[in-house]
Amino acid sequence: RLGALGLAIDDIARQAVMGDPRWDAGNYPLGEGPAVGLGIARMLNMLTYTTAAELDERFSRRPATQPNQWPTFGPSLALETYLHHQADKLVQRFDANAYLYLTSAMDRYDAAAGRGGDAAAFARIQARVLAVGIDSDWLYPARDVAALATGIHAAGGAATYVEVASRHGHDAFLKDWAQFDHVLRPFMAS
């Protein structure tokens, strides 16, 4: 399950969508939805996938070199145009109502709900589990992933925990292929 910080961020993102006048309680014509609100939600979510150190290294306070269609208050920074670009990409390929439903469903999902709590839910797991934590992931903190493995093991299951060191935060699984290959390949082979 997602922790309280992630839940809070997702709610702020949904509020950005629903607060856009073009959302119209979800009754917008196809292609005319709340692009600004969905874009702002995407910008906020982009921050949850990374770390402050990575953003500093990648962008620092450098001025923008790319054009920007979003409103600016003063000269644009490279970080701002990156976030705006990511917002535009999502808006072009994703529906705002789908975003609301998917994020709400993910936020409310709890594998232990209705199963007698964590221990009872963990006891139902028959497969071997490899839980991989990322030391810099603050969306799904490594300590929570480790606790998942510990809980499965305590309930009689077979769980292994491995922690990956990365400066990429949650996005490490997309960017640190060699480290994940080193962890996943032996587990899959066994």
Side-chain angles (χ1 to χ4, degrees), residues 71-85:
T72 60
F73 195 79
S76 290
L77 299 172
L79 174 61
E80 294 170 332
T81 58
Y82 166 77
L83 292 173
H84 301 162
H85 172 72

Side-chain angles (χ1 to χ4, degrees), residues 88-164:
D88 291 341
K89 281 179 22 182
L90 182 75
V91 166
Q92 292 170 9
R93 70 177 196 269
F94 212 82
D95 178 70
N97 283 332
Y99 176 87
L100 295 174
Y101 278 102
L102 286 171
T103 60
S104 181
M106 290 187 306
D107 285 358
R108 281 144 184 81
Y109 179 76
D110 181 346
R115 292 185 171 92
D118 287 349
F122 294 154
R124 296 172 56 143
I125 298 172
Q126 296 178 11
R128 290 180 38 237
V129 174
L130 173 63
V132 181
I134 302 164
D135 68 347
S136 59
D137 187 347
W138 58 275
L139 186 59
Y140 291 94
R143 70 179 179 276
D144 293 351
V145 179
L148 173 69
T150 299
I152 293 168
H153 188 267
T160 302
Y161 175 74
V162 176
E163 190 163 306
V164 170

Side-chain angles (χ1 to χ4, degrees), residues 1-15 41 44-45 47-49 99 102-104 106-108 137-141 143-144 170:
R1 69 185 71 90
L2 185 61
L5 181 60
L7 295 171
I9 289 167
D10 283 353
D11 181 58
I12 293 167
R14 284 190 296 271
Q15 292 301 321
L44 177 61
N45 288 141
L47 297 179
T48 70
Y49 309 146
Y99 176 87
L102 286 171
T103 60
S104 181
M106 290 187 306
D107 285 358
R108 281 144 184 81
D137 187 347
W138 58 275
L139 186 59
Y140 291 94
R143 70 179 179 276
D144 293 351
H170 188 71

Side-chain angles (χ1 to χ4, degrees), residues 18-43:
M18 294 183 297
D20 185 320
R22 291 178 64 185
W23 181 58
D24 192 27
N27 297 312
Y28 51 85
L30 187 62
E32 297 179 26
V36 171
L38 183 59
I40 292 169
R42 175 63 170 176
M43 288 186 263

